[in-house]
């Protein structure tokens, strides 16, 4: 099956005997994936790694591949950016609930030039433990021949793929919710104010935090909490306010159906915002409200002391009118 940017692929699992798993080659094409026994690329192993493209097909290795016995599920690409990791390394794991025999492990291709092993060890291992069903993870850092590669279609992903297939949605919710119980405040504001660099932050967010705090919302900085703590908070919340970003790729997997969500558009990238909207609506079945009041608002100067921009007042009035404040 050849993946298509416009249409989320129907669930399918391809099996390739005597396959060669290929690491990512340096260069803009991000060539990596799976070859068959004769060295031909398998189209189904292309991974959507952004809004506009897939990994390129790899060339056959010049030298003899390393040997890794067993049957391995090809998971896709792992990289350091949290949101991209969620959308590129996890979307094929749904197949683990639909195989007739348990594979020997999960194979993941690291993004070229990134030490994904250190990032997994430092932060992402608990997430993989919840979703990989106890299977070992093999990072494909050299051409590697396996007895069989199991290649599921991506069950969700960037832009038009954000809503996910029913199989992938059910898998993520079932396994994450089984691992982590709800624990946290009922009113949650997901903040970006402490992210670095400052370009990732939302203009005047400290002011927004004051408003929502007075209304009873707990200010939550996801990057300062473990994955398990984040999931517990998202599961417990009955109302969530926050600017669009990676947190809203994780939260829809686990937030309670009917949760009230106020999603604040923080940038003018409309397709990316629309994709998060669709993910929240479909995956979480949330009661979603959105606003673009501050999407064009530039960052203030560090020594800003003048009056607040009108867009900020518009945001506050909109939140009040929607019943969040």
């Amino acid at each position: 099956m050849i993946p298509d940017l416009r249409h989320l692929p129907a669930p399918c699992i391809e099996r390739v005997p005597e396959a060669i798993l290929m690491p990512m080659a340096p260069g803009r094409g991000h060539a990596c994936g799976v070859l068959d026994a004769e060295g031909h690329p398998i189209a189904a192993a292309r991974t959507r790694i952004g809004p506009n493209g897939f990994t390129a097909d790899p060339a056959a290795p010049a030298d003899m591949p390393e040997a890794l016995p067993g049957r391995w599920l090809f998971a896709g690409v792992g990289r350091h950016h949290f949101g991209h990791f969620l959308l590129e390394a996890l979307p094929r794991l749904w197949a683990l609930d639909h195989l007739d025999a348990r594979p020997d492990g999960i194979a993941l291709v690291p993004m070229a030039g990134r030490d994904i092993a250190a990032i997994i060890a430092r932060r992402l291992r608990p997430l993989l433990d919840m979703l990989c069903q106890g299977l070992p993870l093999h990072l494909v850092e050299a051409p590697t021949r396996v007895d069989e590669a199991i290649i599921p279609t991506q069950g969700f992903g960037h832009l038009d793929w954000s809503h996910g297939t029913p199989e992938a949605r059910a898998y993520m919710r079932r396994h994450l919710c089984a691992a982590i119980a709800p624990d946290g405040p009922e009113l949650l504001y997901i903040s970006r104010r402490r992210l670095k660099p400052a370009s990732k932050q939302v203009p005047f967010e400290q002011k927004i935090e004051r408003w929502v705090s007075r209304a009873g919302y707990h200010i939550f900085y996801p990057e300062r909490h473990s994955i398990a703590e984040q999931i517990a908070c998202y599961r417990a919340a009955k109302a969530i306010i926050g600017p669009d970003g990676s947190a809203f790729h994780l939260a829809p997997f686990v937030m309670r159906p009917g949760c009230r969500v106020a999603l604040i558009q923080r940038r003018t990238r409309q397709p990316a915002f629309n994709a998060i909207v669709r993910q929240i609506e479909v995956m979480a079945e949330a009661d979603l409200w959105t606003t673009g009041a501050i999407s064009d608002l530039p960052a203030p100067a560090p020594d800003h002391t003048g009056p607040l921009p009108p867009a900020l007042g518009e945001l506050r009035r909109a939140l009040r009118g929607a019943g969040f404040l």
Side-chain angles (χ1 to χ4, degrees):
M1 175 182 290
I2 298 176
D4 175 359
L5 287 172
R6 297 168 300 170
H7 303 104
L8 181 66
C12 181
I13 301 172
E14 189 167 344
R15 294 168 172 82
V16 182
E18 298 298 319
I20 302 173
L21 309 179
M22 293 297 295
M24 184 174 290
R28 297 184 64 182
H30 305 298
C32 64
V34 180
L35 307 174
D36 65 17
E38 287 73 44
H40 303 127
I42 304 299
R46 297 171 186 164
T47 297
R48 184 169 190 175
I49 56 169
N52 300 316
F54 299 93
T55 53
D57 290 336
D63 300 320
M64 182 71 69
E66 298 178 359
L68 180 65
R71 302 166 58 251
W72 291 79
L73 186 143
F74 178 76
V77 172
R79 60 166 129 181
H80 68 294
H81 185 284
F82 183 59
H84 281 267
F85 188 90
L86 294 178
L87 298 180
E88 298 162 8
L90 306 183
R92 301 180 195 260
L93 297 180
W94 65 267
L96 291 173
D97 277 356
H98 298 271
L99 296 173
D100 51 7
R102 185 175 172 86
D104 293 288
I106 309 294
L108 184 67
V109 176
M111 178 65 76
R114 297 290 184 177
D115 186 2
I116 190 64
I119 296 166
I120 289 172
R122 184 170 66 247
R123 185 158 181 82
L124 298 174
R125 170 58 64 184
L127 180 63
L128 292 172
D129 288 344
M130 295 176 214
L131 293 171
C132 291
Q133 301 191 24
L135 293 169
L137 178 70
H138 176 78
L139 298 180
V140 182
E141 298 177 308
T144 304
R145 187 180 294 277
V146 296
D147 296 332
E148 182 181 68
I150 302 165
I151 310 172
T153 48
Q154 286 183 249
F156 52 90
H158 296 277
L159 294 190
D160 295 319
W161 293 13
S162 67
H163 59 291
T165 63
E167 292 80 359
R169 296 197 299 265
Y171 186 88
M172 299 297 289
R173 180 167 291 273
R174 179 185 307 121
H175 290 276
L176 293 177
C177 290
I180 304 296
D183 184 16
E186 292 187 352
L187 303 180
L188 196 68
Y189 178 82
I190 302 175
S191 176
R192 298 179 63 87
R193 187 168 64 85
R194 294 181 177 174
L195 290 177
K196 305 296 181 185
S199 59
K200 295 183 178 181
Q201 299 173 11
V202 174
F204 301 98
E205 191 165 23
Q206 188 168 15
K207 178 66 70 174
I208 300 171
E209 288 181 358
R210 290 180 188 144
W211 300 340
V212 298
S213 181
R214 290 182 192 134
Y217 286 80
H218 173 76
I219 309 302
F220 188 68
Y221 304 101
E223 71 281 1
R224 299 195 169 193
H225 294 269
S226 69
I227 299 293
E229 289 168 341
Q230 292 177 50
I231 290 171
C233 276
Y234 301 151
R235 290 202 66 196
K238 292 184 177 179
I240 299 175
I241 303 175
D244 66 89
S246 295
F248 283 103
H249 288 311
L250 177 61
F253 296 141
V254 298
M255 67 173 65
R256 65 175 72 195
C259 177
R260 296 201 69 214
V261 178
L263 187 67
I264 301 168
Q265 186 172 356
R266 65 182 174 90
R267 51 193 173 176
T268 55
R269 293 166 52 190
Q270 196 64 45
F273 183 77
N274 292 346
I276 293 176
V277 165
R278 194 174 186 197
Q279 184 181 2
I280 294 170
E281 288 179 333
V282 178
M283 285 195 175
E285 300 178 3
D287 179 6
L288 177 64
W289 175 87
T290 67
T291 175
I294 63 169
S295 61
D296 293 318
L297 193 62
D303 57 351
H304 176 85
T305 58
L308 294 176
L312 212 60
E314 179 185 340
L315 172 64
R316 189 178 191 182
R317 288 189 295 274
L319 287 167
R320 280 176 172 166
F324 286 95
L325 296 183

